[in-house]
Amino acid sequence: MTPEHADLVLAERRGPVLVLTFNRPDKLNAWTDDLEDRYFTLLSDAEDDPGVRAIVVTGAGRGFCAGADLGRLQAVGDVSEADLLRPRPRDLPATLHKPLIGAINGVAAGLGMVEALYCDVRFASASARFTTAFAKRGLIAEYGISWLLPRLVGRSRATDLLLSSRMVDAEEALRIGLVDHLAPDGSVVDAAVAYAEQLSTHCSPTSMAVIKDQLQNDADGTYAESVARAEGLMLQAFRGADLVEGVQSHLDKRTPTFPSLPVRSSHVPV
């Protein structure tokens, strides 16, 4: 990777939290294949770094991500299936076992909004804005947003946002469940990092990985299936060292010392 590509996403460690920053501020951090490659590499490295327990993603300047860089699209009317293939799945951020926290500092449009929705928890600054954008570009609901968005805001609101491509401000985003927390302009990253530090310090990495898996896999199942699966997972938890540490640290009134996820955390049995 060239130094230019390395600068497309900046990485900063804040203790157990890795902060990743999309870094094309002059383009409102519009998405390119090179930016994607850099971002996904950093996410994959963080997944396998025992010292990283949570990840925060944000954007440099006034935007989070303005979507695909339309100025770099060539021959848009003659795109083949092969042109859309990428070396890693486009929803890789949604497959992480470690918490991914969005610090949405400005506009999140199209693919940029999808990237925000891939996060487990979203913080938004007061000036953050969201738009699906696809219908206004002659596109369809891309990258799984037609599955993600109704589960956050309900089918009717998702239909509205996808068909109209209208802009949603931070207050409405919080009200309809598109984001989880608001922060004043200039402080959204610090707020997201503080939250990520709480997860890193007080919550079992294994528990969080399993819970994320439950949320994903139980989304389309029945209540009975969820209960049955949880019973098997509970048995594993009761046999694990994390439960012993979680209970003992509570009784001792001290911070727990949970072990990190193992390297190749995608192989954690869940």
Side-chain angles (χ1 to χ4, degrees):
M1 177 176 291
T2 67
E4 178 186 4
H5 292 167
D7 289 341
L8 290 174
V9 182
L10 306 178
E12 175 194 1
R13 281 292 294 274
R14 299 196 190 181
V17 179
L18 177 68
V19 179
L20 301 180
T21 304
F22 302 142
N23 190 39
R24 300 185 70 216
D26 56 324
K27 300 290 186 180
L28 292 177
N29 305 310
W31 198 266
T32 66
D33 287 348
D34 291 331
L35 184 149
E36 177 182 295
D37 290 341
R38 170 67 172 164
Y39 179 46
F40 285 8
T41 294
L42 289 169
L43 289 178
S44 297
D45 290 347
E47 183 84 328
D48 286 329
D49 183 344
V52 174
R53 296 209 168 186
I55 305 157
V56 169
V57 60
T58 191
R62 297 181 298 109
F64 176 73
C65 176
D69 190 336
L70 299 181
R72 293 196 175 192
L73 293 181
Q74 297 179 349
V76 292
D78 188 28
V79 176
S80 68
E81 185 175 349
D83 293 327
L84 299 178
L85 294 177
R86 298 292 297 146
R88 288 173 283 202
R90 272 264 162 76
D91 65 345
L92 182 144
T95 69
L96 301 180
H97 286 87
K98 296 181 180 180
L100 179 63
I101 313 302
I104 318 303
N105 57 301
V107 66
L111 177 55
M113 181 167 168
V114 177
E115 293 301 326
L117 298 189
Y118 285 155
C119 295
D120 298 305
V121 177
R122 282 161 296 282
F123 284 72
S125 68
S127 60
R129 296 178 299 155
F130 301 83
T131 174
T132 61
F134 298 118
K136 288 186 175 180
R137 302 293 179 265
L139 295 167
I140 53 85
E142 297 179 344
Y143 310 117
I145 193 173
S146 59
W147 189 94
L148 293 165
L149 194 56
R151 285 162 173 77
L152 289 174
V153 303
R155 180 183 175 87
S156 181
R157 284 194 175 115
T159 302
D160 165 35
L161 298 182
L162 286 165
L163 294 184
S164 71
S165 293
R166 67 180 180 83
M167 194 69 72
V168 175
D169 65 20
E171 290 288 345
E172 181 181 1
L174 179 67
R175 177 172 56 82
I176 67 177
L178 196 58
V179 301
D180 307 292
H181 305 275
L182 289 189
D185 287 340
S187 66
V188 67
V189 173
D190 289 340
V193 169
Y195 177 87
E197 287 176 339
Q198 288 294 310
L199 299 184
S200 302
T201 302
H202 298 287
C203 300
S204 158
T206 298
S207 292
M208 290 191 291
V210 174
I211 288 168
K212 287 187 61 170
D213 183 78
Q214 288 178 276
L215 289 168
Q216 179 72 18
N217 286 288
D218 291 350
D220 294 317
T222 66
Y223 172 74
E225 289 169 341
S226 177
V227 170
R229 187 163 184 264
E231 287 178 350
L233 294 171
M234 285 172 61
L235 183 59
Q236 294 180 33
F238 276 113
R239 292 173 175 172
D242 280 19
L243 176 63
V244 175
E245 174 59 16
V247 171
Q248 193 60 53
S249 62
H250 175 73
L251 295 175
D252 294 345
K253 295 181 171 56
R254 60 173 174 81
T255 302
T257 55
F258 293 119
S260 300
L261 290 175
V263 174
R264 290 289 100 191
S265 55
S266 58
H267 298 164
V268 171
V270 291

